[in-house]
Amino acid sequence: MMKKLITACLLTATLFTGYTAYAQQRAGNTIREGKHSFTLQWISWDHPGEVMIEKQKDATYTVKGEQRDEKTGDFVTIDGTLTVDSPKELTFNGTIRTQYSNVNGGKVCEKTGTYHFLAKGARKYWRLQEMDNCEGNNVVDYVDIYFH
């Protein structure tokens, strides 16, 4: 009888510890909802645009916004969903559009599908990892979503 009681206590403690670790891990896979700064290096890091991030019921987040240069019309837009893989890794599914007059003949570069944002080192932003612009020729777009 005592052996069964000890086994039951150990099993309960193991399950509780496992659940607590799982809950803490899931809680770490969240990001702040609300407005975040958003930039494309061709436009400006000094005058960021803005995205709105909102949590959905299925633990994903919607993300939508833009950065636009009012003088030139150059822009970057984002519209889709984010999954938080870790506090430094996001998976994006949706569309990112960039247009800069001196890149890709001034035409819009549209990326639709699944992409990845990473925050490396001490950076305070997640950067799109699939950076190649539609122009090719080793031209890259630094599309960044800032923590705040």
Side-chain angles (χ1 to χ4, degrees):
M1 176 76 166
M2 185 61 116
K3 188 175 182 179
K4 286 183 181 180
L5 182 60
I6 291 172
T7 302
C9 288
L10 287 173
L11 179 59
T12 301
T14 302
L15 289 174
F16 181 75
T17 302
Y19 174 77
T20 301
Y22 172 76
Q24 289 172 341
Q25 177 187 13
R26 294 300 301 157
N29 287 350
T30 62
I31 55 177
R32 184 182 61 78
E33 290 184 77
K35 294 178 182 178
H36 292 251
S37 293
F38 182 60
T39 60
L40 172 66
Q41 92 277 16
W42 305 115
I43 299 172
S44 173
W45 278 307
D46 296 328
H47 303 286
E50 201 170 76
V51 295
M52 180 62 78
I53 296 178
E54 296 178 339
K55 188 168 186 175
Q56 303 301 296
K57 291 179 183 177
D58 64 356
T60 64
Y61 294 80
T62 58
V63 58
K64 184 172 184 159
E66 68 178 22
Q67 179 187 28
R68 190 169 297 271
D69 184 324
E70 297 299 326
K71 293 178 185 172
T72 65
D74 296 331
F75 66 87
V76 56
T77 64
I78 189 168
D79 189 2
T81 60
L82 294 169
T83 302
V84 181
D85 301 318
S86 78
K88 293 201 170 221
E89 298 178 59
L90 308 175
T91 299
F92 170 77
N93 191 359
T95 301
I96 298 170
R97 299 173 74 229
T98 60
Q99 181 180 7
Y100 183 70
S101 52
N102 294 327
V103 175
N104 195 34
K107 294 181 281 191
V108 173
C109 177
E110 184 172 304
K111 297 178 182 182
T112 299
T114 301
Y115 301 95
H116 305 89
F117 284 85
L118 292 179
K120 295 181 180 178
R123 290 180 179 167
K124 301 294 183 200
Y125 54 85
W126 298 279
R127 175 163 286 166
L128 178 66
Q129 296 302 291
E130 293 82 9
M131 300 177 192
D132 291 340
N133 182 278
C134 297
E135 176 179 306
N137 299 320
N138 295 319
V139 175
V140 297
D141 295 329
Y142 295 143
V143 177
D144 300 329
I145 300 172
Y146 292 77
F147 297 168
H148 297 284

